[in-house]
Amino acid sequence: MNTYKTLSPEKRLFYKSLLSLVIPITIQNLITNLVNSADVLMLNYVGQSSMSAVSLANQYHFILSGFFFGISSGTTMLCSQYWGKKDMNSIQAIFGIALKISLAFTCLLSLAAITFPSLLMRIFTPDEELIRMGASYLRIIGISYFLTGFSHVYLCVLKSVERAKTSTLISCTALFLNVFLNAVFIFGLFGAPKLGVAGVALATVISRIVEIVLCLIDFLRGRIFKPSFSILFGRHKLLFQDFLKYSIPALLNDCIWTFAFSTYSIILGHMDSDMVAASSVATTIRDLLSVVCFGLGSAGTVLLGKSLGERRMDKAKEDASSLCRCTLAVSIFTALVIVMIRKPVIGLFDLTVTAQDYLNFMLLVSSYYVIGQAMNTLTIAGIFRAGGNSRFGLICDTITMWVISVPLGFISAFVLRLPPKAVYFILCLDEFWKIPVVYKYYKSGKWLNNITREYE
C-alpha cells in the first residue's frame, strides 16, 4: 500500500486501468478454463477413453481458437489505437471486416466437422474406439464453430474499447450454462438421457446459441457505436488493407503456433494412450492456473494500443516495462502453485498408474514452462502487437516451432524412439528457444508505432 502511494498519479491511473481490464478478462479466462476442467472431470467419471477422445477431437477447437486469436489480434491492434483517437466509425468498419473473414472460416470448419468427423479423428489417432467416440462429438460440436464466428469477434471489440466487464458477463453466462448442461447430458439429470461425449457437444452448441443472442442484443442497443449496416458491411479499402497488413501475420502466427501444438498431440497420440490422457489433464491445469498471466497480456495490448493511438510513446514504453515486471512475478507464483498442488491434482483423476506417473512429470515440466510461455505471450502477442508489429512473432514462432521443436519431436519419438517423458520434455522447450531474440527486439523499441491514419 505504501508503495502504491508513492506512485505518480499517471502511474496510479495506469494500474487502475490495468486492473479494470485484467480482473474481468481473467475471470472470463478462468471460467472458460473451469468449463474445460469440468468437461475433463465429468468425462473422467464416464471413462478414460471418453476423456481422451474429447481431448483429441478438441484439437479442432484448438485450431479454431488459434484462428480467432489471430483475428482478435488484428482487430485489437487497430480498434485499441482508434479507440485512443475516439474514431468509432473506423472501429465499426474494422468489426465488419473481421466478422466477414471469421464467418467464412468457421463455416468451412463446421462443414468439415459435421461431414467428415471420422476422417478428422484419424489424423490424431489410429485407435478405433477413440475415433468412434470422437466422431460422435465432432459431428455435433461442429455446429458451434460457426455460431462462435460472430460472438467471438464482437466480444473482442468490446474489450478493445475497454468494455471488458460486458464481454465477461456475456461469456460467463454462456459458460455457466455450458457447465450446467454438461452435467445434465453426461449424467442424465432431470430425466434427460445420458449422452456421454455427445452430451458435452450438445451442451456447447446450446450455450453458443445463448451467447450469440446476448451479443446481438448488446450490439443492437448501440452501446459501442450506433449500428450502421452501410459502415459494417460497406467497402473500406484503406481499412481493409490495414487490417490485412496487421492481422494476416498475426493470424498466420497463431495458426502456425496452434498447428504446431496440434502436431505435438499427434506425436503423443501415436506413442501412448496414457500420454494422451495425462497430457489433456496437464494442459488443462496449466491453462487454468495461467489465466492471470494471459489476462495481463490481453489488457496490456488494449492499454498500450490506446497510448500509441494517442501518440504517447514514452508512456507506452514505461507501461510496457511495468507489464513485464507484473507478468514475471505472477508467472513465478503460478509455477510454485503448480509444484505444490500436483499430488492432489493427480488424486482427482481415475488414471492408470502409468498415466499418473506421466501426469506428475508433466506438471513438473509445466511449472517452469508457464514462465517462458507467459513472458513470450506478453511480448509477442501483447506488447509488439499493440504497436502493429505481428510479423516478428510470425517469423520467430515459425523458426522455433517448425524448424526446431516439431522436427525434434518427430525425431525423438519415431527415429530415436526415446521414452515418452523425454519426448514431452523436448517438445516443451519451444518457449525457451525464442527468449533471447524476443528480449533483444523488445529492448530495441521498434514496436513503438502509431498505426492509425485519417480516413475520408
Side-chain angles (χ1 to χ4, degrees):
M1 181 63 70
N2 290 333
T3 303
Y4 180 77
K5 290 181 178 179
T6 62
L7 296 174
S8 65
E10 189 171 56
K11 183 58 70 174
R12 289 187 192 181
L13 179 61
F14 167 75
Y15 282 115
K16 183 179 179 180
S17 300
L18 181 63
L19 280 176
S20 70
L21 286 171
V22 168
I23 291 174
I25 290 173
T26 298
I27 291 173
Q28 182 178 343
N29 291 342
L30 178 62
I31 292 176
T32 299
N33 283 287
L34 282 173
V35 170
N36 294 335
S37 301
D39 290 350
V40 172
L41 282 169
M42 292 177 192
L43 288 171
N44 175 60
Y45 288 103
V46 177
Q48 181 172 310
S49 294
S50 296
M51 185 173 65
S52 298
V54 170
S55 174
L56 290 174
N58 268 336
Q59 292 304 310
Y60 290 101
H61 184 267
F62 189 46
I63 291 170
L64 183 63
S65 297
F67 169 80
F68 280 139
F69 196 60
I71 288 292
S72 298
S73 294
T75 303
T76 302
M77 274 188 272
L78 288 165
C79 284
S80 61
Q81 291 213 11
Y82 280 104
W83 174 239
K85 292 181 64 175
K86 296 297 184 286
D87 184 348
M88 306 313 294
N89 284 341
S90 292
I91 292 174
Q92 184 169 190
I94 293 163
F95 170 51
I97 293 167
L99 182 61
K100 286 179 279 189
I101 296 173
S102 176
L103 291 178
F105 181 82
T106 54
C107 182
L108 291 175
L109 190 58
S110 289
L111 287 174
I114 295 169
T115 310
F116 311 109
S118 296
L119 181 61
L120 295 179
M121 283 299 299
R122 290 186 187 280
I123 296 174
F124 290 98
T125 180
D127 189 307
E128 290 298 329
E129 182 185 12
L130 296 184
I131 291 172
R132 177 183 59 79
M133 298 175 74
S136 68
Y137 176 82
L138 272 178
R139 190 174 288 110
I140 299 172
I141 200 73
I143 300 170
S144 74
Y145 297 162
F146 180 73
L147 297 174
T148 312
F150 175 86
S151 59
H152 191 97
V153 174
Y154 184 72
L155 294 176
C156 171
V157 174
L158 284 179
K159 287 182 281 189
S160 299
V161 297
E162 298 184 272
R163 289 193 64 213
K165 292 180 181 178
T166 303
S167 173
T168 298
L169 180 62
I170 292 173
S171 293
C172 290
T173 301
L175 292 170
F176 278 127
L177 178 63
N178 196 351
V179 173
F180 172 73
L181 293 177
N182 277 347
V184 170
F185 293 131
I186 290 175
F187 302 115
L189 303 179
F190 310 110
K194 292 184 178 181
L195 300 177
V197 296
V200 176
L202 181 59
T204 301
V205 171
I206 295 173
S207 66
R208 291 304 182 195
I209 292 173
V210 171
E211 183 179 65
I212 197 172
V213 169
L214 294 174
C215 287
L216 283 170
I217 291 173
D218 188 78
F219 170 67
L220 294 174
R221 291 176 70 182
R223 292 296 181 88
I224 305 178
F225 37 66
K226 184 178 180 180
S228 170
F229 290 98
S230 63
I231 296 176
L232 190 64
F233 297 109
R235 297 185 64 183
H236 308 278
K237 185 176 179 181
L238 292 177
L239 268 180
F240 183 70
Q241 289 174 352
D242 281 351
F243 188 87
L244 294 182
K245 176 181 178 181
Y246 298 116
S247 66
I248 285 182
L251 174 59
L252 290 176
N253 183 189
D254 293 316
C255 286
I256 283 171
W257 185 88
T258 302
F259 279 121
F261 260 86
S262 295
T263 303
Y264 295 172
S265 296
I266 293 174
I267 294 171
L268 297 177
H270 283 78
M271 290 185 67
D272 192 327
S273 61
D274 286 323
M275 284 291 288
V276 175
S279 179
S280 66
V281 175
T283 301
T284 299
I285 298 300
R286 186 175 70 212
D287 291 345
L288 184 63
L289 294 176
S290 300
V291 290
V292 178
C293 297
F294 296 136
L296 283 165
S298 298
T301 304
V302 175
L303 294 179
L304 294 179
K306 183 180 177 182
S307 294
L308 292 170
E310 296 170 340
R311 300 186 183 277
R312 302 179 67 186
M313 303 303 177
D314 290 339
K315 183 178 186 304
K317 187 175 182 179
E318 183 180 347
D319 290 345
S321 179
S322 298
L323 280 167
C324 287
R325 290 193 294 270
C326 289
T327 302
L328 180 60
V330 171
S331 63
I332 291 173
F333 176 77
T334 302
L336 294 174
V337 171
I338 292 176
V339 172
M340 290 187 293
I341 69 167
R342 72 184 193 283
K343 294 296 183 182
V345 164
I346 294 171
L348 288 174
F349 297 90
D350 184 21
L351 302 174
T352 65
V353 175
T354 302
Q356 289 180 0
D357 180 53
Y358 286 154
L359 178 56
N360 181 60
F361 175 78
M362 289 177 178
L363 289 175
L364 285 173
V365 171
S366 295
S367 68
Y368 64 80
Y369 184 84
V370 293
I371 299 175
Q373 185 181 40
M375 296 306 297
N376 285 328
T377 300
L378 172 69
T379 49
I380 294 175
I383 294 173
F384 298 166
R385 291 185 184 180
N389 193 324
S390 52
R391 286 181 294 178
F392 176 86
L394 171 61
I395 296 170
C396 186
D397 281 339
T398 300
I399 294 173
T400 56
M401 301 191 83
W402 286 101
V403 178
I404 301 175
S405 290
V406 170
L408 282 178
F410 274 106
I411 291 171
S412 61
F414 305 120
V415 179
L416 300 178
R417 298 189 179 279
L418 297 180
K421 289 182 182 179
V423 175
Y424 186 81
F425 174 79
I426 291 171
L427 290 174
C428 288
L429 290 174
D430 58 340
E431 293 291 348
F432 297 92
W433 302 121
K434 65 183 87 165
I435 285 179
V437 179
V438 171
Y439 179 76
K440 182 179 179 181
Y441 188 81
Y442 167 74
K443 295 298 289 184
S444 73
K446 294 179 180 179
W447 52 272
L448 290 161
N449 302 299
N450 178 292
I451 59 175
T452 65
R453 53 180 169 178
E454 299 297 329
Y455 293 96
E456 298 180 357

